[in-house]
């Protein structure tokens, strides 16, 4: 018997479009002999859509849905619950929802960012007792919160950059004290980030005190928690001027996860910001495998698995590192080994067939369609294991 797989895409976050692209790739590649696929869309206003409306959202014909953003919210939540109830117990719940999804065996929530990658949708699926791809509530929430994530990394003995976490209320209450706290602990340049976000939204690189307050105000627009980190750059004298190397590893599995080869992103800008991630004119190109010594890549792959475990992740994650760059002209031949820091985990990384996560597995011997297959199997295993 074929399994019914609900693929959920879109969502209320700033990464709505990225999600649509990931889902389109999955729908195209998934093995239709094994799976019956049920597309489920979430419009930008939070409205849940199925059938033709979900297809239309995917095709970019209606990225708004029909409800105004705020008013749609409550109703959207009711609908989400109803959709799940409907999926669970067909007849009785039929009237509850206009969503005709039927009973689902497993859900693939291809959602990035808030209300999708952060444990919220995962919690709903737990309550509905439906298997789903990826991390559970805790792992998803930790993976979304750059402050909590650092606590987990540090507890596991993984190297992280020096940082300060501020609450928006502390910043509004006493900016001078906050600036003092930052400068006491960190050297410029620093990176200012909203704690719970992705795609580099709200992130600034700050080189001087004068730039600090505007950067914190910007990050505070997105989150009540702001993380400020010392910038990773070059080594020694080039510390402040050099650009960090950005290395990424794909991890796959549940309790006994495996790590892919290491890939490298070479941003075409000052840092890997929103434009260099998504602008089609951007020339940021992944290098797979990254140019590293054997010892370095071995060390990083071990760290990636430890990071996955430290955050209690499951299914998949892309683990991202920052590495001090050797001064140009001496690639990999610095006197001291370059320092490697864990930057973050992404529990639902970009998943188009040309995104880094699938590309890393492709290069490690797992083609795209098989990857989807394995993720679904891992979801079912985890669901069975849970009780
Ligand atoms: P997101 O979850 O939005 O991707 P990141 O923490 O990965 O947030 O930051 C986005 C980008 O900003 C990174 O890919 C990197 O280019 C740059 N960056 C972030 N933190 C640092 C840091 N401490 N040192 C150097 N570059 C950084
Ligand atoms: Mg991220
Ligand atoms: Mg990142």
């Amino acid at each position: 018997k074929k399994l019914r797989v609900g693929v959920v895409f879109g969502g209320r976050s700033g990464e709505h479009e990225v999600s649509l692209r990931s889902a389109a790739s999955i729908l195209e590649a998934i093995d239709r002999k094994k799976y019956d696929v049920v597309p489920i869309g979430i419009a930008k206003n939070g409205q849940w859509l199925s059938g033709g409306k979900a297809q239309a959202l995917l095709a970019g014909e209606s990225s708004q849905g029909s409800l105004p953003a705020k008013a749609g919210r409550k109703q959207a939540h009711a609908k989400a619950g109803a959709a799940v109830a409907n999926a669970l117990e067909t007849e009785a719940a039929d009237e509850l929802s206009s969503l005709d999804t039927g009973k689902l065996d497993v859900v693939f929530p291809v959602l990035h960012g808030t209300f999708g990658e952060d444990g919220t949708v995962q919690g709903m699926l737990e309550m509905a007792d439906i298997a789903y791809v990826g991390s559970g509530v805790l792992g998803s929430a930790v993976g979304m919160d750059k402050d909590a994530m650092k606590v987990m990394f540090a507890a596991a003995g993984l190297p992280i950059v020096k940082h300060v976490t501020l609450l928006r209320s502390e910043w509004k209450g006493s900016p001078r004290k906050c600036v003092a706290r930052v400068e006491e602990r960190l050297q410029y340049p620093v990176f200012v980030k909203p704690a719970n976000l992705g795609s580099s939204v709200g992130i600034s690189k700050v080189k001087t005190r004068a730039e600090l307050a505007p950067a914190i105000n910007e990050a505070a627009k997105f989150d009540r928690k702001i993380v400020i980190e010392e910038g990773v750059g070059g080594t020694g004298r080039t510390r402040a001027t050099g650009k960090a190397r950005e290395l990424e590893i794909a991890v796959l599995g549940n309790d006994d996860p495996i790590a892919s080869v290491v890939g490298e992103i070479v941003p075409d800008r000052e840092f890997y910001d929103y434009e260099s991630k998504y602008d089609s004119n951007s020339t940021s190109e992944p290098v797979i495998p990254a140019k590293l010594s054997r010892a370095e890549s071995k060390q990083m792959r071990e760290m990636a698995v430890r990071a996955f475990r430290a955050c209690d992740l499951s299914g998949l994650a892309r683990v991202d590192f920052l590495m001090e760059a050797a001064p140009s002209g001496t690639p990999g031949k610095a006197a001291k080994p370059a320092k490697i820091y864990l930057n973050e985990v992404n529990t639902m990384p970009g998943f188009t067939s040309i995104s880094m996560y699938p590309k890393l597995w492709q290069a490690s011997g797992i083609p795209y369609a098989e990857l989807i297959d394995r993720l679904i199997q891992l979801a079912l295993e985890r669901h069975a294991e849970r009780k």
Side-chain angles (χ1 to χ4, degrees):
K1 184 188 154 269
K2 283 198 202 179
L3 286 178
R4 279 175 74 78
V5 183
V7 177
V8 186
F9 50 83
R12 282 160 55 191
S13 85
E15 291 159 290
H16 179 97
E17 277 78 19
V18 190
S19 165
L20 297 187
R21 273 184 259 165
S22 297
S25 281
I26 292 170
L27 292 177
E28 199 181 300
I30 193 168
D31 185 351
R32 304 273 176 168
K33 283 192 234 89
K34 277 177 94 168
Y35 304 110
D36 271 330
V37 182
V38 182
I40 302 169
I42 303 177
K44 274 185 181 163
N45 65 12
Q47 191 178 18
W48 286 57
L49 309 164
S50 67
K53 284 187 181 165
Q55 299 283 8
L57 180 70
L58 196 61
E61 288 159 29
S62 127
S63 57
Q64 291 306 321
S66 53
L67 296 171
K70 276 260 167 68
R73 215 149 150 175
K74 264 215 176 114
Q75 202 172 334
H77 284 300
K79 278 260 177 77
V84 169
N86 187 17
L88 268 179
E89 7 203 321
T90 50
E91 281 135 45
D94 256 344
E95 290 151 29
L96 286 174
S97 170
S98 61
L99 291 194
D100 181 24
T101 53
K103 184 167 166 50
L104 301 171
D105 295 301
V106 57
V107 164
F108 196 149
V110 197
L111 300 165
H112 309 302
T114 344
F115 306 113
E117 194 177 350
D118 59 355
T120 51
V121 164
Q122 288 74 12
M124 187 187 85
L125 293 165
E126 288 290 342
M127 291 186 72
D129 199 26
I130 299 179
Y132 55 92
V133 169
S135 289
V137 174
L138 177 66
S140 299
V142 167
M144 193 83 259
D145 187 311
K146 294 186 199 311
D147 177 58
M149 189 159 30
K150 286 181 193 299
V151 172
M152 300 301 218
F153 288 161
L158 290 160
I160 54 173
V161 295
K162 277 196 221 164
H163 72 288
V164 169
T165 301
L166 300 175
L167 297 179
R168 182 161 51 201
S169 55
E170 293 176 303
W171 171 244
K172 300 289 177 208
S174 180
R176 276 180 51 201
K177 263 193 204 152
C178 291
V179 170
R181 239 169 87 195
V182 170
E183 293 188 341
E184 212 168 84
R185 178 144 173 80
L186 313 178
Q187 276 189 291
Y188 294 107
V190 297
F191 281 79
V192 180
K193 320 177 176 182
N196 288 272
L197 219 73
S199 289
S200 300
V201 174
I203 298 185
S204 321
K205 180 174 180 175
V206 168
K207 294 177 188 168
T208 61
R209 178 184 294 176
E211 295 167 1
L212 186 59
I216 297 177
N217 285 329
E218 176 65 13
K221 283 187 201 160
F222 298 95
D223 201 339
R224 55 174 274 281
K225 213 153 74 169
I226 301 131
V227 174
I228 303 164
E229 297 177 10
E230 198 157 273
V232 177
T235 52
R237 264 180 293 122
T238 62
R239 192 199 75 78
T241 50
K243 247 203 267 182
R245 292 183 70 184
E246 305 210 32
L247 301 152
E248 306 190 341
I249 296 181
V251 178
L252 176 69
N254 288 337
D255 290 357
D256 198 12
I258 54 172
S260 72
V261 297
V262 190
E264 178 162 12
I265 301 277
V266 186
D268 57 356
R269 295 170 188 246
E270 175 106 27
F271 72 96
Y272 198 30
D273 61 7
Y274 186 86
E275 278 69 34
S276 50
K277 283 178 181 173
Y278 301 119
D279 186 342
S280 50
N281 294 322
S282 163
T283 55
S284 299
E285 268 300 314
V287 180
I288 304 173
K291 288 185 187 69
L292 294 167
S293 71
R294 258 170 195 256
E296 283 166 337
S297 31
K298 181 163 178 279
Q299 183 195 356
M300 290 176 74
R301 291 170 76 174
E302 283 167 6
M303 281 165 67
V305 169
R306 279 170 60 204
F308 190 90
R309 290 208 167 106
C311 299
D312 196 21
L313 307 186
S314 37
L316 75 165
R318 200 189 67 225
V319 182
D320 297 352
F321 299 83
L322 293 167
M323 187 181 186
E324 282 180 347
S328 55
T330 56
K333 291 252 164 65
K336 271 196 264 168
K339 285 203 188 100
I340 299 168
Y341 301 94
L342 215 33
N343 179 33
E344 61 161 351
V345 294
N346 290 289
T347 54
M348 193 51 74
F351 209 89
T352 69
S353 53
I354 58 159
S355 299
M356 191 62 149
Y357 185 87
K359 268 193 170 178
L360 286 168
W361 281 121
Q362 180 85 46
S364 310
I366 305 178
Y368 190 62
E370 187 188 328
L371 184 60
I372 296 169
D373 210 34
R374 286 218 200 182
L375 287 170
I376 292 171
Q377 295 310 316
L378 286 166
L380 295 169
E381 278 168 30
R382 177 171 174 277
H383 190 70
E385 185 81 1
R386 205 172 59 111
K387 307 230 163 88

